Amino acid sequence: MNYSVHAIMYGYFYLKQIDAWPKWVPAQFITVAQIAQMVVGTTVSYFSYVYLKDGIECDVKPENVIAGG
């Protein structure tokens, strides 16, 4: 998800720089995508922490949960 949002974001910056961004596409789309990425990432990190704390099988390494925190 992070790569997708950044591809859209950098594509937007490039197209704005060369005045080729379509007028019908709202720039707020990028902000909404970034906020959605943060919400999804935070939710995944939280549940990974809860699963590891409760001893539930989880494919996420404890080091990644700590880094995500």
Side-chain angles (χ1 to χ4, degrees), residues 43-59:
T43 303
V44 169
S45 293
Y46 171 76
F47 281 109
S48 298
Y49 168 75
V50 171
Y51 281 14
L52 288 173
K53 182 178 67 91
D54 292 343
I56 300 171
E57 183 74 25
C58 183
D59 289 334

Side-chain angles (χ1 to χ4, degrees), residues 9-69:
M9 186 174 62
Y10 293 132
Y12 166 79
F13 292 149
Y14 171 73
L15 291 174
K16 283 295 279 189
Q17 194 65 28
I18 63 169
D19 285 330
W21 181 254
K23 302 289 186 226
W24 56 270
V25 180
Q28 293 85 355
F29 171 73
I30 295 169
T31 303
V32 170
Q34 289 175 316
I35 292 170
Q37 173 190 350
M38 184 61 71
V39 169
V40 170
T42 303
T43 303
V44 169
S45 293
Y46 171 76
F47 281 109
S48 298
Y49 168 75
V50 171
Y51 281 14
L52 288 173
K53 182 178 67 91
D54 292 343
I56 300 171
E57 183 74 25
C58 183
D59 289 334
V60 178
K61 296 178 182 177
E63 297 86 11
N64 290 342
V65 174
I66 292 169

